[in-house]
């Protein structure tokens, strides 16, 4: 309510619309530079596309094939930045790329490609890649198909907790004085009396059901896949800017799909690359790339996508017999690609970002990747400040961009090699197992101490059998991380729903009880939260049957 009050009463230098990774990155950068900034998100932070990615901070090996060297160079540089500023969320992940007889590129060609990949990263990689023969590949992943295997490449990129990366940007912006609100939707943009400039927005608080007229010198839309529908609804129609394509993932338990490395596979149907990625006690596989005909508010996996993913898995891991019955979770998201008229194939649409407008007080950021969010935020803000200077509205004493060096809240005091000694020390300090310490440190970094502050023995117990998440995380999500719905807690703050969708329904009532007490939900509200949560899970698992 404090944030809502400020939104209603202050005049802002900048209003950012959309709390995905791009909006979150911009609001943090702006707050760090000393701007009076506000961010509004119509759902939960990251609930659009940004928690539904393949969770990789990567250079994009496949962009070498299309000679997008600039994008690879930029992405690998940002990968190095993220490993430094958020080492708990952006962690080195070994990849294995097996090469078979008849593949589009042979082992030698792939080896040369990876030398280029490492070189474009200026060799700032956890380990230089290695080419290996069949035996080396099978020593790393024994369940891979042996028939036709020639060899493979072992290289490194990073895994990332995309939802938490988004959230930590928001939390940092807030701690620096920014106003950040989830469940607050922009319905209309307001123009000056002569219509020449956008000067504010009408915002609806979807929790309290009130509205506010927000005044801002500059507005940035970071609404991702919603960009066109948002602009149309807000009275700012223009030519189509975004082409949204759907990508989906499925989750299987590690005991059924035991891998040590992420594995790059080529679909036997269309030769597109898919990844199998180890994820704690689970393994996930994705992604697809298909046109999305429903609106951006309803994005779930279809049976065709499930079959496409499982076909590739069976091709590469035939002995594991992974079937639809082994799937314990799914997620799907929309890539907000910049529309390129005339380009028919989704796969060929560029992953680069573009910044539109600005002269009239409204800027639009579209496209890009999770990996490069920090750089996109910097470039967008540099342009916004340029426009404000031109219109004579740039505030004084604006500082330079600091996001390249300032750690995210959980990254403070952590080195890139934190995982070697810290979990043991943390476990001893808090009297918890090393596994739990590892889980908490990987999720919260140095903020993990606060999660356990004041937690009794019961709060340190797992919420769901077979998963590390504990009750103290639900408490922390409500008190410190702006979780206000059951879905926020189960899907994004703890990831329980993504890993064990159906099992999560058994524990949802107890989580709802705990949240109801803290958030003072009525019985009707508690029931409504449970119903909405059940419906979300049913949608995620509908294609699984
Ligand atoms: P979003 O996260 O969608 O944020 C936009 C937000 O705007 C939404 O939360 C929405 O609710 C909000 N909004 C819309 N309208 C309004 C309104 N009127 N008022 C207030 N708020 C509004 N990139 C990588 O680097 N690595 C990967 O591994 C990777 N994998 C991917 C896999 C898939 C399947 C997909 C789909 C994408 C992947 N990407 C990856 C790309 C990356 O996830 C996206 O580029 C990025 O998340 C987009 O962020 P965004 O902030 O632009 O959009």
């Amino acid at each position: 309510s404090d944030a809502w009050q400020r939104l209603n009463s202050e005049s802002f230098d900048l209003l950012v619309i959309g709390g995905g990774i791009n909006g979150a990155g911009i609001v943090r950068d702006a707050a760090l530079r000393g701007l009076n900034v506000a961010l509004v998100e119509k759902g939960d932070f990251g609930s659009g596309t940004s928690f539904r990615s393949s969770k990789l901070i990567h250079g994009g090996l496949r962009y070498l094939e299309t000679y997008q060297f600039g994008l690879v160079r930029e992405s690998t540089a940002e990968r190095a930045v993220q490993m430094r500023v958020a080492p708990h969320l952006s962690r080195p992940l070994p990849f294995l790329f097996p090469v078979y007889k008849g593949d589009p590129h042979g082992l030698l060609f792939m080896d040369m490609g990876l030398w280029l990949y490492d070189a474009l990263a200026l060799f700032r990689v956890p380990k230089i890649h290695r080419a290996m023969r069949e035996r080396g590949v099978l020593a790393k992943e024994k369940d891979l198909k042996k028939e036709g295997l020639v060899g493979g490449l072992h290289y490194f990129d990073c895994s990332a907790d995309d939802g938490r990366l988004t959230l930590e940007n928001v939390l940092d912006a807030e701690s620096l004085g920014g106003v950040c609100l989830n469940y607050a939707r922009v319905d209309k943009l307001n123009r000056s009396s002569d219509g020449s400039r956008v000067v504010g927005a009408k915002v609806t608080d979807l929790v309290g059901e009130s509205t506010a007229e927000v005044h801002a010198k500059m507005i940035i839309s970071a609404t991702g896949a919603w960009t066109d529908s948002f602009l149309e609804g807000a009275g700012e129609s223009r030519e189509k800017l975004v082409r949204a394509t759907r990508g989906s993932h499925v989750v299987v338990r590690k005991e059924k799909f035991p891998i040590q490395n992420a594995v790059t596979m080529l679909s036997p149907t269309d030769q597109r690359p898919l990844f199998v990625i180890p994820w704690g006690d689970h393994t996930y596989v994705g992604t697809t790339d298909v046109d999305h005909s429903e609106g951006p508010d309803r994005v779930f996996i279809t049976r065709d996508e499930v079959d496409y993913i499982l076909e590739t898995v069976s091709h590469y891991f035939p002995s594991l017999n992974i079937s639809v019955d082994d799937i314990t979770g799914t997620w799907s998201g929309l890539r907000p690609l910049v529309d390129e008229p005339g380009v028919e194939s989704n796969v060929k649409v560029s992953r680069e970002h573009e910044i539109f407008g600005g002269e009239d007080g409204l800027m639009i950021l579209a496209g890009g990747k999770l990996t490069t969010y920090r750089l996109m935020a910097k470039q967008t803000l540099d342009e916004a400040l340029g426009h404000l200077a031109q219109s004579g509205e740039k505030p004084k004493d604006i500082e330079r961009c600091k996001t390249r060096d300032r750690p995210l809240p959980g990254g403070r005091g952590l080195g890139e090699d934190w995982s070697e000694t810290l979990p043991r020390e943390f476990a001893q300090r808090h009297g918890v197992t090393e596994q739990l310490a590892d889980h908490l440190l990987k999720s919260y970094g140095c903020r993990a101490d606060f999660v356990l502050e004041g937690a009794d023995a019961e709060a340190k117990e797992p919420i769901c059998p077979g998963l590390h998440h504990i009750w103290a995380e639900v408490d922390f999500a409500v008190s410190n991380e702006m979780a206000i719905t059951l879905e926020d807690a189960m899907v994004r703050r703890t990831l329980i729903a993504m890993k064990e969708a159906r099992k999560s329904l058994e524990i949802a009532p107890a989580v709802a009880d705990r949240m109801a007490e803290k958030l003072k939900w009525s019985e009707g509200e508690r029931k409504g939260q449970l119903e909405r949560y059940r419906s979300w899970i049913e949608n995620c698992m509908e294609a699984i049957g």
Side-chain angles (χ1 to χ4, degrees), residues 90-267:
S90 184
R91 297 187 304 272
L93 177 67
F95 275 73
L96 189 62
F97 198 143
V99 177
Y100 289 85
K101 264 186 214 142
D103 274 358
H105 302 302
L107 196 56
L108 185 63
F109 184 88
M110 290 294 300
D111 191 18
M112 278 159 47
L114 272 149
W115 277 116
L116 181 58
Y117 196 56
D118 286 343
L120 285 166
L122 305 178
F123 297 100
R124 282 179 302 196
V125 276
K127 268 189 195 163
I128 303 294
H129 83 276
R130 232 158 41 89
M132 50 187 65
R133 291 285 169 195
E134 179 198 354
R135 268 180 46 197
V137 173
L138 293 173
K140 295 228 171 272
E141 291 303 336
K142 65 179 175 34
D143 295 313
L144 269 168
K145 183 177 74 157
K146 298 174 184 65
E147 194 192 332
L149 182 62
V150 177
L153 284 308
H154 194 243
Y155 66 100
F156 276 84
D157 258 316
C158 282
S159 66
D161 187 332
D162 48 7
R164 289 211 153 266
L165 202 57
T166 306
L167 185 67
E168 285 212 13
N169 273 276
V170 172
L171 295 175
D172 204 22
E174 211 192 22
S175 75
L176 291 159
V179 173
C180 301
L181 270 162
N182 48 2
Y183 298 97
R185 185 185 62 216
V186 171
D187 290 320
K188 193 174 174 303
L189 294 174
N190 299 331
R191 286 194 163 258
S192 56
S193 50
D194 65 359
S196 62
R197 276 192 80 78
V198 174
V199 292
K202 182 179 167 199
V203 181
T204 302
D205 169 11
L206 299 172
V207 179
E209 291 172 9
S210 46
T211 59
E213 295 294 341
V214 182
H215 303 280
K217 292 176 190 161
M218 176 66 72
I219 293 188
I220 298 178
S221 158
T223 49
W226 284 260
T227 299
D228 294 316
S229 58
F230 160 65
L231 289 172
E232 196 184 333
E236 294 285 333
S237 284
R238 50 187 81 201
E239 79 277 20
K240 185 168 179 266
L241 298 179
V242 167
R243 170 174 185 162
T245 75
R246 189 175 63 243
S248 299
H249 296 82
V250 303
V251 183
V252 177
R253 287 188 195 127
K254 185 172 182 171
E255 64 210 38
K256 180 69 196 171
F257 202 160
I259 48 160
Q260 309 303 322
N261 304 266
V263 178
T264 309
M265 311 177 293
L266 300 178
S267 152

Side-chain angles (χ1 to χ4, degrees), residues 54-85:
S54 298
K55 307 187 188 301
L56 299 174
I57 298 284
H58 61 150
L61 184 58
R62 77 186 172 91
Y63 306 132
L64 291 181
E65 219 179 345
T66 43
Y67 310 111
Q68 296 185 67
F69 301 133
L71 185 57
V72 175
R73 169 81 199 85
E74 201 171 86
S75 304
T76 49
E78 282 306 301
R79 184 181 64 188
V81 173
Q82 293 308 317
M83 281 165 63
R84 208 173 54 237
V85 300

Side-chain angles (χ1 to χ4, degrees), residues 17-24 40-58 162 184-187 222-227 230 245-249 287-288 297 331-336 365 367-372 376:
I17 306 169
I21 190 67
N22 286 335
V40 287
E41 159 57 51
K42 76 177 176 66
D44 184 24
F45 301 116
S47 65
T49 294
S50 294
F51 89 102
R52 303 158 185 254
S53 78
S54 298
K55 307 187 188 301
L56 299 174
I57 298 284
H58 61 150
D162 48 7
R185 185 185 62 216
V186 171
D187 290 320
T223 49
W226 284 260
T227 299
F230 160 65
T245 75
R246 189 175 63 243
S248 299
H249 296 82
T287 174
T288 55
D297 285 310
W331 71 86
S332 305
L334 292 182
R335 296 176 188 83
L365 170 62
K369 308 197 299 164
L370 183 78
T371 306
T372 48
M376 288 192 280

